[in-house]
């Protein structure tokens, strides 16, 4: 018998998540994210001023649930039913491979735009000694070390080889989580919030995710623009303007979900 609190959980496989049902030979993607300069481990950029990152969200093993990052990659994963999502990021030494998700579920994001999908993984592995993309090419016969923007499509065979490279190292995902927490506490100490630009004090969790999956109320049906030259956004609920590099799913002022849109009249 399922406990009551369990039934109300928004953690997959519960509602609103749907199985991706990846075919046996589904390929995948290599996705680039911003990592934190203040961290030894290449965790997402938690402390980046005015542009805090929530993805890849290792706390929930999701991507796109809390951010509007990489909409093309997210819709690509859903359309191709890709099982593997690899992650790479720029460090001093160049781009490096840091880990992967095994994607199993998807659902619609806050913005009911066809491309605002959330992805959830059944497993993940992130490594302590990231592998340069030059070495990934050398070991796996791939072509990922030449610069590309945002994401790169991978064949099933390429995915299998890159996964083996990551599996050869111990799983350091717990260390990544501790590092994310340390950086968040740095933000909390110096800016009063774990995520300053969003006025978010909570850690990311399935409890925190409820508002994004249940209380969302965006009525936007048109294509969502997730960046604007002015980095300014306006909330349709509270009328406040918000400064942030990327479009936020939640208004930092009133907490409205999917209520922000580009503020076009800045400077006029
Ligand atoms: Zn608002």
């Amino acid at each position: 018998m399922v406990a009551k609190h369990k039934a109300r959980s928004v953690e997959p496989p519960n509602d609103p998540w749907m199985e991706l049902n990846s075919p046996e030979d589904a390929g995948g993607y290599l996705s680039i994210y911003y990592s934190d300069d203040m961290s030894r481990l290449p965790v997402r950029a938690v402390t980046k001023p005015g542009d805090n990152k929530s993805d890849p969200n290792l706390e929930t093993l999701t991507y796109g649930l809390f951010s509007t990052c990489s909409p093309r990659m997210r819709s690509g994963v859903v359309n191709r039913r890709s099982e593997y999502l690899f992650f790479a990021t720029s460090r001093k030494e160049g781009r490096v491979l840091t880990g992967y998700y095994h994607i199993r579920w998807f659902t619609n994001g806050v913005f009911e735009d066809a491309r605002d999908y959330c992805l959830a993984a059944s497993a993940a592995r992130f490594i302590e000694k990231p592998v340069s993309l030059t070495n990934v090419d050398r070991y796996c016969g791939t072509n990922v070390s030449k610069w590309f923007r945002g994401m790169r499509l991978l064949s099933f065979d390429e995915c299998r080889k890159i996964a083996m490279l990551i599996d050869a190292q111990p799983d350091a995902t717990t260390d990544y989580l501790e590092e994310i927490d340390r950086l968040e506490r740095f933000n909390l100490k110096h800016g009063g919030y774990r995520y300053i630009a969003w006025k978010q004090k909570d850690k990311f969790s399935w409890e925190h995710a409820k508002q994004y999956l249940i209380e969302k109320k965006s009525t936007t049906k048109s294509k969502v623009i997730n960046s604007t030259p002015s980095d300014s956004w306006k909330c349709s609920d509270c009328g406040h303007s918000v400064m942030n590099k990327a479009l936020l799913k939640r208004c930092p002022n009133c907490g409205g979900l999917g209520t922000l849109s580009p503020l076009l009249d800045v400077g006029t």
Side-chain angles (χ1 to χ4, degrees), residues 235 237-239 251 253-256 259:
C235 177
D237 268 17
C238 69
C251 170
N253 186 56
C254 70
T259 57

Side-chain angles (χ1 to χ4, degrees), residues 46-63:
V46 170
T47 64
K48 200 173 182 207
D51 193 21
N52 300 145
K53 299 296 178 192
S54 58
D55 280 313
N57 194 270
L58 272 56
E59 297 90 323
T60 54
L61 297 190
T62 60
Y63 200 107

Side-chain angles (χ1 to χ4, degrees), residues 41 43 58 124-126 171-181:
L41 287 172
V43 300
L58 272 56
R125 193 181 189 90
F126 286 80
D171 182 9
T173 308
T174 308
D175 302 313
Y176 276 58
L177 285 166
E178 282 171 10
E179 188 60 13
I180 288 166
D181 183 61

